[in-house]
C-alpha cells in the first residue's frame, strides 16, 4: 500500500496498553465510579417530589413517567393524572444529587437526577443538558432508584461502554486538551463511560499508533481536535481496516472493506466539516452526548489516487477558488492555526483576484436518473442513507462501476447524470452553454473495461471544481457548500463553476450563507457521480509537472488578475497568469496534480444522528 502523508519514517514505541508515552503522548484512564448493586425488577414504582409537588413515578424498561398526585377521594383512594414521560433513549446519565454539610465529604441525598439530552429550542441540532430531579432524602431509596435507572440505561443497545480517545495537544497551544478535560470528560464520567486517552504531541503520531493499536474490548474510537486530527484518525483507521483485511495494495478498482469500528469526533477546530455535516453542529457537548447515547450514522468516503497510486482517503476535494482561499488563509496562519479573520481575509482577497483555471474533468454518472433540483437534503432518518444490513454489500458497489447496465435494467445510454448531455442543461433544466462541450469519451482503447464507456468528459476554463461526499456544513456556510449531497448514498456531487462576471460569482457565493439556491445560475452545474477524474491543465493544455511550480507564487508578475476590475460588476474573469491553483482536500493543501476520486459507500460509521431541519437565521461571512 502506498504510504500516506502521515506515514513518516519515525521510530516509534509499541502501541501497547501500557507504553503509550513519550512522542506519542500520555495515556490516561478515565473510569466511572459508583456502587455495584443488584438492580430491582421492573416496573418500579415510587413517590417523589418534582418541583415541590408529589408525583407517582413509574420506571419501565425503556421509559420513566410521573403523574401528579391529587387529593384523595371520599372513597380513600388517591387520584393521579398523567403528567410527563421521558424516554430512556434520551437519558445519558443518572446521579444522586447531594447537599454538602460542613466536615462531611459525601453529604446527605437530595434526590435522583436524570440527565436528559434535549434539543435546543434555538437550534434542534444542538443538545442541551436538561436535569430532572426526583427529590427524596432517603439514602436507600435514592441508591435503589439510581441503580435501577442505571441498569435500564445499560440495557439499551449500541451504547459504548469503553472507548479509545485521541486528544490533539500539539495545535493551538493545546486548545483541544482544554476543551476535552473541561467540557467532555465530565459528561463521560457522569455517564459511566470509560475512556482510555492518548494525548498526541506531534503530527502523524495518531496515524502511526492506529496501525498497531489493539481494539479488542473497545466499543469505538474517539478523536478530539480540528480538521488535522480528524483527517489523520480517519485515514489511519480506514487504512488499518484494509490491512486487517489483508488488503495490501489499494487501486481504483479495489473493493474496500467497511470499517466496523465507529468513530466519534469531538470538534474543536474552526471548520469541523465532517462533524458539522454529520450532526448539524460543532458543539463539543452535543458530539459527546451522541457518542454516549450510541447514535450511529454511516458516511461515504472517497479514495483518492494519482496515476492509479493510492494517496489518501477524503470527503471534500476542491480545486480553483477553494484552493486559493485555503492557500491565502494558511499564509496568514499563526503557529499553523488558521483564524476566523484569516479566513475572511483569504476569501475577500480570493474574490478580488478570482480567475479561471483550465481543467479536464471526467466523471462516471450515477445510475439514478433523479433530477438534482428535486432531491431533498439529507436529514435525520434519510431513507437514501440508511445503514446497509449486509456487511458484504460494499463489494457489490465495486462491481456496479464495471456494469454496462443500470441496476434497474436500463441500457448503457440510459445510465445518465441529472442533465441532458446533448443539450447541456444544468441542475434546474435550463440551458447551460458552458456544458455544451461535454461528450462521452472517444479515445478509449478496446482492452479497457466496459466501465470506461460510461465516463463523461469536459474540458473548460473553470473558476472552481468541487467533488464532495458531504454537504460540508460549517459556521460560514450553514446549509453546506453542497447542500443536496447525501451522507451515505454511495455518490458524490461534482460541482463545476464556469467563467462568469465577478458580480455574478459574488452573488453565487452570498447564497451559501442564506436560504437561497446557490446553484441556481447558468454558469453552475452539479453532477451526481460515482467516480471523478480531474486533470489541472496549464499553457497549451499541459498538466502540472512539478508541485513547486513558480507560478504558485503570490508575486507572479505575469498575473493579470486586475484585468477584470474595471467595473463593479466585473468583466470576464482572467485566464492568464498563474496556470495552476492548489487542491484543497479536507482543508489540506495538495499539489495541482491529476486526481482520480472513487466513492465507497458507507465505508465509515460515526457517532452521530444526522442533520435536523432548523429555521434559525443564517450567518454570512463578514467579507461578503
Amino acid at each position: 500500500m502506498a504510504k500516506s502523508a502521515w506515514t513518516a519514517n519515525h521510530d516509534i514505541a509499541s502501541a501497547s496498553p501500557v507504553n503509550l508515552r513519550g512522542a506519542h503522548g500520555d495515556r490516561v484512564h478515565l473510569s466511572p465510579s459508583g456502587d455495584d448493586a443488584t438492580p430491582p425488577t421492573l416496573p418500579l414504582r415510587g413517590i417523589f417530589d418534582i418541583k415541590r409537588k408529589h408525583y407517582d413515578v413509574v420506571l419501565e424498561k425503556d421509559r420513566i413517567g410521573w403523574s401528579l398526585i391529587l387529593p384523595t377521594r371520599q372513597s380513600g383512594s388517591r387520584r393521579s393524572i398523567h403528567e410527563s414521560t421521558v424516554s430512556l433513549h434520551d437519558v445519558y446519565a443518572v446521579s444522586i444529587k447531594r447537599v454538602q454539610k460542613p466536615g462531611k465529604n459525601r453529604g446527605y441525598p437530595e434526590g435522583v437526577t436524570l440527565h436528559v439530552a434535549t434539543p435546543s429550542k434555538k437550534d434542534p441540532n444542538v443538545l442541551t443538558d436538561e436535569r430532572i430531579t426526583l427529590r427524596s432524602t432517603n439514602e436507600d431509596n435514592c441508591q435503589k432508584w439510581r441503580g435501577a435507572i442505571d441498569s435500564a440505561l445499560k440495557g439499551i443497545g449500541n451504547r459504548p461502554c469503553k472507548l479509545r480517545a485521541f486528544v490533539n495537544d500539539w495545535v493551538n497551544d493545546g486548545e483541544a486538551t482544554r476543551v476535552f478535560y473541561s467540557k467532555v470528560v465530565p459528561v463521560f464520567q457522569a455517564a459511566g463511560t470509560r475512556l482510555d486517552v492518548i494525548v498526541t504531541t506531534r503530527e502523524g503520531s495518531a496515524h502511526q499508533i492506529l496501525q498497531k493499536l489493539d481494539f479488542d474490548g473497545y466499543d469505538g474510537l474517539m478523536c478530539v481536535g480540528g480538521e488535522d486530527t480528524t483527517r489523520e484518525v480517519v485515514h489511519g483507521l480506514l487504512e488499518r481496516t484494509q490491512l486487517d483485511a489483508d488488503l495490501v495494495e489499494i487501486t481504483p478498482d479495489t473493493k474496500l472493506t467497511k470499517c466496523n469500528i465507529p468513530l466519534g469526533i469531538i470538534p474543536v477546530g474552526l471548520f469541523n466539516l465532517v462533524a458539522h455535516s454529520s450532526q448539524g453542529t460543532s458543539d463539543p457537548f452535543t458530539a459527546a452526548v451522541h457518542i454516549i447515547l450510541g447514535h450511529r450514522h454511516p458516511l461515504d468516503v472517497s479514495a483518492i489516487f494519482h496515476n492509479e497510486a493510492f494517496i489518501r482517503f477524503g470527503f471534500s476535494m476542491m480545486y480553483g477558488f477553494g484552493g486559493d482561499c485555503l492557500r491565502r488563509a494558511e499564509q496568514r496562519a499563526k503557529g499553523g492555526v488558521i483564524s476566523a479573520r484569516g479566513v475572511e481575509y483569504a476569501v475577500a482577497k480570493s474574490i478580488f483576484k478570482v480567475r479561471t483555471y483550465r481543467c479536464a474533468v471526467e466523471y462516471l454518472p450515477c445510475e439514478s436518473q433523479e433530477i438534482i433540483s428535486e432531491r431533498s437534503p439529507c436529514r435525520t432518518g434519510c431513507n437514501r442513507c440508511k445503514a446497509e444490513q449486509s456487511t458484504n454489500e460494499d463489494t457489490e458497489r465495486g462491481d456496479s462501476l464495471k456494469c454496462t447496465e443500470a441496476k434497474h435494467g436500463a441500457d448503457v445510454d440510459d445510465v445518465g447524470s441529472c442533465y441532458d448531455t446533448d443539450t447541456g442543461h444544468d441542475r434546474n433544466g435550463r440551458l447551460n452553454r458552458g456544458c455544451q462541450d461535454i461528450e462521452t469519451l472517444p479515445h478509449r482503447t478496446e482492452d479497457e473495461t466496459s466501465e470506461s464507456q460510461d465516463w463523461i468528459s469536459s474540458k473548460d476554463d473553470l473558476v472552481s471544481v468541487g467533488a464532495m461526499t458531504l454537504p460540508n456544513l460549517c459556521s460560514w456556510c450553514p446549509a453546506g457548500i453542497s447542500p443536496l449531497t447525501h451522507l451515505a448514498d454511495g455518490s458524490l456531487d461534482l460541482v463545476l463553476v464556469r467563467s462568469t462576471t465577478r458580480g455574478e460569482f459574488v452573488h453565487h457565493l452570498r447564497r451559501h450563507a442564506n436560504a437561497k439556491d446557490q446553484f441556481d445560475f447558468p454558469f453552475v452545474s452539479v453532477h451526481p457521480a460515482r467516480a471523478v477524474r480531474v486533470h489541472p491543465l496549464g499553457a497549451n493544455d499541459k498538466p502540472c509537472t512539478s508541485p513547486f511550480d513558480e507560478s504558485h507564487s503570490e508575486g507572479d508578475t505575469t498575473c493579470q488578475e486586475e484585468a477584470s476590475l474595471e467595473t463593479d460588476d466585473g468583466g470576464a474573469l482572467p485566464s492568464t497568469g498563474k496556470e495552476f491553483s492548489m487542491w484543497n482536500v479536507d482543508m489540506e493543501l495538495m499539489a495541482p496534480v491529476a486526481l482520480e476520486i472513487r466513492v465507497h459507500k458507507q465505508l465509515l460509521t460515526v457517532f452521530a444522528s444526522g442533520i435536523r431541519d432548523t429555521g434559525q437565521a443564517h450567518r454570512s461571512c463578514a467579507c461578503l
Side-chain angles (χ1 to χ4, degrees), residues 28-138:
V28 183
H29 292 280
L30 297 177
S31 302
S33 59
D35 300 330
D36 295 331
T38 302
T41 58
L42 300 181
L44 182 63
R45 202 179 195 102
I47 297 178
F48 292 88
D49 286 352
I50 303 176
K51 296 181 179 179
R52 298 183 179 181
K53 292 183 180 181
H54 300 301
Y55 284 84
D56 183 15
V57 182
V58 179
L59 173 64
E60 299 181 19
K61 182 178 180 181
D62 59 350
R63 63 179 180 173
I64 182 171
W66 49 92
S67 302
L68 181 63
I69 300 176
L70 298 178
T72 59
R73 299 176 179 177
Q74 293 181 353
S75 59
S77 61
R78 291 182 307 190
R79 293 185 300 160
S80 62
I81 59 174
H82 178 73
E83 191 70 24
S84 183
T85 300
V86 171
S87 172
L88 293 184
H89 292 275
D90 298 327
V91 178
Y92 72 88
V94 58
S95 61
I96 296 179
K97 184 178 181 180
R98 296 183 179 277
V99 177
Q100 297 295 329
K101 294 185 80 173
K104 292 188 177 181
N105 295 329
R106 195 173 187 182
Y108 63 88
E110 188 176 346
V112 179
T113 299
L114 301 175
H115 299 261
V116 185
T118 306
S120 170
K121 294 181 180 179
K122 186 176 181 180
D123 184 357
N125 290 297
V126 178
L127 299 179
T128 60
D129 180 16
E130 180 183 359
R131 301 187 180 187
I132 302 173
T133 300
L134 311 177
R135 297 188 179 275
S136 173
T137 58
N138 186 287

Side-chain angles (χ1 to χ4, degrees), residues 15-26:
S16 62
V18 178
N19 297 320
L20 280 176
R21 300 180 180 275
H24 306 296
D26 298 327

Side-chain angles (χ1 to χ4, degrees), residues 329-357:
E330 288 198 348
Q331 289 174 350
R332 294 180 63 88
K334 296 181 179 180
V337 179
I338 299 176
S339 64
R341 295 188 63 180
V343 172
E344 294 174 353
Y345 161 82
V347 173
K349 188 168 184 179
S350 296
I351 292 175
F352 182 80
K353 293 191 172 185
V354 64
R355 49 154 297 126
T356 60
Y357 297 95

